[in-house]
Amino acid sequence: MNLMLKEEWICPPSLVESLRMKPCGSTLAAKDDYESKTFASTSYSSPPTVNGAQADEVSLPNKPEKSTTCLVSEETLAKEKVKEQVFIKESYNFLKLLAKKLRYGQAIINTAMFYLLKYTRIYPYTSINKYLVSASCLLLSAKVKNEPIPMEYLAEWYIWAELKRIDPQSRPIISEKMKQEYVSKIQEQEFEILSELNFDVEVELPNKYIAKFFHVSLSKRGKPNEVLSKHAYMFMNDAFTTTAPLFYPPQEIAAAVIYMADVYLKKSPKFQKTYKDKCPSNEEEWFKFIDETLDLKTIIEVKDEIKKCYDRKTSSS
Amino acid sequence: MEKNNPEEFKVPFSPLLIGRYKMIKKIGKGSYGSVYKVEDIKDRKTATTPDSPKKYFAVKKMKLPANRLKIQGIDFTTLREINILQEIKHENIIPLVDVFHINRSTFMVMELMKSDLSKLMFSRTITLTIPHIKCIMLQIFYGLKELHKNWIIHRDLTPNNLLISEDGVLKFSDFGLSRFFASNNRPMTQNVVTLHYRAPEILFGANYYGPQIDIFSAGCILGGLLLRGTLFCGRNDIDQMSQIFKIMGTPSEETWEGVTNLPHYVEFEETPPQSFRILFPGIDEDLANLLEGLLVLDPNKRLTVEQCINHPFFNKSPDSCDPDELPMDDIS
C-alpha cells in the first residue's frame, strides 16, 4: 500500500507551469494566497518536490523556457487543467465514499471540498497525497459543522476505502497498529491544513443564496418550481468538483447553478413538456433577487467554468 | 518545503513562542487550558525608536482534547471559538490577534486585559453607583446584541468571562461553549453555563433553547451587581432551582406554557413570586421592572436584547457614566 501512496508524490515536469494557470476573474482572497504564497515559497527554479533527485530532473527542462514571455504552450496548459480536473474529481469521489460511510451530509462534503481546493492552491496538487488530504479535510469540516467523529472511526473507514480502491474484491482486515498509524498521519495532516488555511475555517456555501432566491420568488411569482430547485442543488454539488468556488463568491455560484438548471430543464427531453412556466430566464433580471450587484455576463462566465467538469467526462468516456 | 520533515513537529516548548512571543508569566487557568502574559518581540524590533512602549498580549494555550471522547486532532470547541472570534469584530468582544500551533496544541493570541467583572463585583472596597451599573449592563447588552444578531449563543455568560480593559471597556471572552443556533435541529446539551447563572429551562433539561439563556445570565449578573454577591447560589441543580423559585415563584402551566412536558420537570412546593423592591430596598421601579423582565421563568416572555437596551431604566437620570469612569484603580 505504501508503494501505491508513493506514486502520488512524484512530480511531473510541467508542475511549475500548472501553478501559472491563470484563474479567471478571481474575486476571493484565495487568489491572493495562490499568487503570493505559491510564488513566494516555491520559487521558479526549485519546485516543491519531495526528493532532491526528482527536483533536479524537474527543473532542468524548464530552464530554456524561462526567458520567453509565454512560459508554456496553450496545449500543455489545457492538458494540465484536465489533469487537475481529474485530480479534483477523484478526491471528490473518495471524499463522497468516505462521507457516505460516516453518514455525513452534502454540506460537510462541500465544505471539505472547499478546504481541499484551497489547500491545493498552496501545495500543488501533484505533490500531495489526495486521499490523506481529503480524509483530513473531512475531519476538519465535520468539526466546523458541529458533528465531530472519533478519529479511530475515520481512520478505520479511511483504510477500508483505500484498500477497496486498490482491490474492490478484497475483504480488508484492519489491525489496531495500522489504525493508530493512520490516526497520527491524519492528525498531522489536519494541523498542516489548518495552519495553511491560517485557521480561517469559515466557508460560505451557495446554499443560502439558492434558498433565498426560491424564497423571494415564492412571494413574487407564487409556487416555486420544485424540479428547478432540486436540479439547482444538484448542479451546486457538482460545482464543488471544479475550482470555481475558489474564484467566485457564493452569490455568483448560486446564480450560475440556477441558470444551468433552467437551461438543462428546457433542453432535456424528460422535463421539456412539463417544465414551461415560471422559469427564471423568461423574466428579466431574475438574478437581482439573489444579489443586487450581479450581472448576466459574470453568471455566464461562472457557468462556463462549472460546465468544465461535464466536458471532460464526455470526452474521456 | 518542510512537508515531510518530522522535526517540524518536535519543536520544544521554549519561552519564545514561534520566535515572536516572549513568555513572561502565567496569569490564569481554567478548564480550557492556561493563559500567559507575553511580550511581542517582533513588533519592537521593527519599531523606529528603541524606547517605544513594549507590546503585551495574552496567550491562551488550549488543552489537548479529552481522550476519553476519542476525538483527536484539534479540539472542535477550540475550532469553534477561533471561528467565532474571527467572524465577529465588535468593541465589546475580545479581538483575536493571532492563532498558531506548536506540537499539536493550539495557541490563541488575544488582547491583554486588566481585570474581569467578578473582581469588580465581589470587591469590598469598591462602591458601585447606579451610573456604574448602567454602564456595565449596557455594555453587556451591546455585546449580546452583536452575538445574537450573528445567530450565536454565548452559553457561558458569567462575571469571570467578562473582561475589563484599562479604559473600563467590557469584553466578552471564552467562546468555548458558544454555538450557532438555528443552524440545524440537533438537540443541544444541558451541560452549559456555570450553575449559578443557568437558566431554568436548561435546569429542566430542555433539548432546544435559544438566546434567552444569555438574557437570564445577564439578569443574574445585574442581581449580583446590586447584591454584591451571587444572586442564586445553589449547591446542586435542585437547590439552584429552589433558590430561583423562592424569588421568582414556582412555575405552573399558567405562567409557563409547556413546562410540565420538559424532560427533567420536578414539582416544587408552591411559593408566590416576590417583589424585587422588597428584596433590594432602595431601588427604583424601572430597575425592579428590568430585573423582573430579565429573570422571567418562561423563556418566551423574557425580554429580548433590543427591549433591554431600549428599557426606560437606561433613559432616566442619572445617565450611564462613560466606561473610563468605572472605578478601575481600586482593583488590586
Side-chain angles (χ1 to χ4, degrees), chain A residues 9 42 50 119 123 127 143-144 146 148 150-151 183 187-188 190-192 194-195 198-200 202, chain B residues 1 3-4 9 69-74 76 79-80 82-83 86-87 99-101 104 106 184 186:
Chain A
W9 293 78
T42 68
V50 188
Y119 189 70
Y123 284 112
S127 73
K143 277 178 189 169
V144 172
N146 230 337
M151 279 279 276
V183 162
Q187 215 170 316
E188 265 172 35
E190 187 199 17
F191 269 115
E192 200 168 307
L194 260 179
S195 58
N198 237 337
F199 283 89
D200 183 12
E202 184 64 25
Chain B
M1 272 174 252
K3 202 170 154 44
N4 258 10
F9 296 97
L69 291 169
K70 297 206 170 174
I71 297 166
Q72 287 151 13
I74 187 168
F76 88 106
L79 206 60
R80 199 154 61 182
I82 293 168
N83 195 354
Q86 276 179 341
E87 284 296 292
V99 190
F100 56 91
H101 75 96
R104 294 180 197 181
T106 322
N184 51 13
R186 290 177 75 236

Side-chain angles (χ1 to χ4, degrees), chain B residues 48-60:
Chain B
T48 44
T49 51
D51 306 327
S52 60
K54 290 179 179 177
K55 259 196 162 175
Y56 292 109
F57 287 108
V59 166
K60 196 168 165 184

Side-chain angles (χ1 to χ4, degrees), chain A residues 30-292:
Chain A
K31 190 200 169 189
D32 295 334
D33 274 358
Y34 162 76
E35 275 182 355
S36 62
K37 277 210 175 173
T38 23
F39 295 123
S41 51
T42 68
S43 61
Y44 184 77
S45 53
S46 59
T49 36
V50 188
N51 304 328
Q54 276 167 6
D56 287 340
E57 266 179 41
V58 170
S59 55
L60 272 174
N62 293 329
K63 271 182 183 168
E65 288 177 21
K66 207 175 174 181
S67 54
T68 54
T69 43
C70 181
L71 284 165
V72 63
S73 67
E74 293 217 342
E75 213 174 289
T76 345
L77 209 89
K79 255 187 202 169
E80 276 307 319
K81 259 195 166 168
V82 171
K83 268 189 196 168
E84 194 187 18
Q85 193 58 56
V86 175
F87 165 82
I88 294 170
K89 200 110 197 177
E90 277 177 6
S91 0
Y92 181 80
N93 288 341
F94 183 76
L95 220 131
K96 211 167 174 187
L97 176 74
L98 213 56
K100 202 178 154 194
K101 291 289 165 203
L102 297 166
R103 292 166 193 223
Y104 280 148
Q106 195 67 42
I108 287 177
I109 299 177
N110 289 353
T111 315
M113 219 36 221
F114 190 86
Y115 296 151
L116 189 126
L117 291 172
K118 217 170 169 185
Y119 189 70
T120 53
R121 294 301 102 184
I122 296 156
Y123 284 112
Y125 68 94
T126 38
S127 73
I128 59 174
N129 177 355
K130 61 189 163 199
Y131 303 108
L132 189 61
V133 172
S134 4
S136 311
C137 284
L138 188 70
L139 177 73
L140 198 60
S141 72
K143 277 178 189 169
V144 172
K145 293 281 168 195
N146 230 337
E147 290 178 40
I149 188 154
M151 279 279 276
E152 273 156 37
Y153 234 63
L154 180 72
E156 202 178 323
W157 282 117
Y158 171 67
I159 299 164
W160 180 87
E162 188 90 337
L163 292 172
K164 271 276 184 223
R165 189 178 55 81
I166 294 162
D167 179 14
Q169 304 302 319
S170 71
R171 280 171 170 262
I173 302 156
I174 299 154
S175 68
E176 199 61 35
K177 196 185 160 196
M178 208 173 173
K179 235 197 271 178
Q180 286 305 324
E181 192 187 314
Y182 275 87
V183 162
S184 64
K185 259 190 190 176
I186 295 171
Q187 215 170 316
E188 265 172 35
Q189 188 65 49
E190 187 199 17
F191 269 115
E192 200 168 307
I193 291 168
L194 260 179
S195 58
E196 288 306 336
L197 295 177
N198 237 337
F199 283 89
D200 183 12
V201 287
E202 184 64 25
V203 179
E204 205 179 7
L205 295 175
N207 297 40
K208 193 172 122 190
Y209 295 97
I210 298 177
K212 188 182 164 192
F213 172 77
F214 285 107
H215 182 75
V216 175
S217 63
L218 180 89
S219 57
K220 296 255 170 179
R221 290 178 297 177
K223 206 178 159 213
N225 202 317
E226 269 178 33
V227 190
L228 182 67
S229 90
K230 194 180 148 200
H231 278 81
Y233 281 113
M234 270 163 61
F235 280 114
M236 187 201 76
N237 294 339
D238 287 342
F240 277 88
T241 62
T242 67
T243 48
L246 278 182
F247 302 131
Y248 303 98
Q251 297 96 311
E252 286 175 17
I253 301 275
V257 294
I258 292 167
Y259 184 84
M260 280 170 89
D262 182 45
V263 172
Y264 170 78
L265 288 173
K266 270 185 199 154
K267 281 185 185 167
S268 85
K270 196 178 162 191
F271 297 105
Q272 216 169 15
K273 280 172 191 163
T274 49
Y275 181 79
K276 256 177 196 164
D277 50 340
K278 295 163 195 157
C279 27
S281 60
N282 282 358
E283 218 169 288
E284 266 179 44
E285 310 235 304
W286 54 273
F287 41 81
K288 294 281 180 205
F289 290 141
I290 300 172
D291 201 271
E292 286 288 306

Side-chain angles (χ1 to χ4, degrees), chain B residues 32 60 92 94 115-118 154-164 170-177 193-194 221:
Chain B
Y32 48 81
K60 196 168 165 184
N92 293 110
I94 193 149
S115 166
D116 60 36
L117 187 63
S118 72
H154 187 283
R155 296 212 293 187
D156 196 9
L157 192 60
T158 63
N160 287 321
N161 289 336
L162 290 164
L163 307 179
I164 306 179
L170 231 76
K171 294 192 192 226
F172 285 60
S173 76
D174 204 348
F175 286 75
L177 283 172
V193 194
T194 313
I221 290 170

Side-chain angles (χ1 to χ4, degrees), chain B residues 231-248:
Chain B
L231 185 61
F232 306 120
C233 193
R235 288 185 301 275
N236 50 38
D237 282 23
I238 299 288
D239 190 31
Q240 181 72 22
M241 277 190 262
S242 69
Q243 293 230 9
I244 294 172
F245 300 148
K246 217 183 272 175
I247 292 170
M248 300 308 300

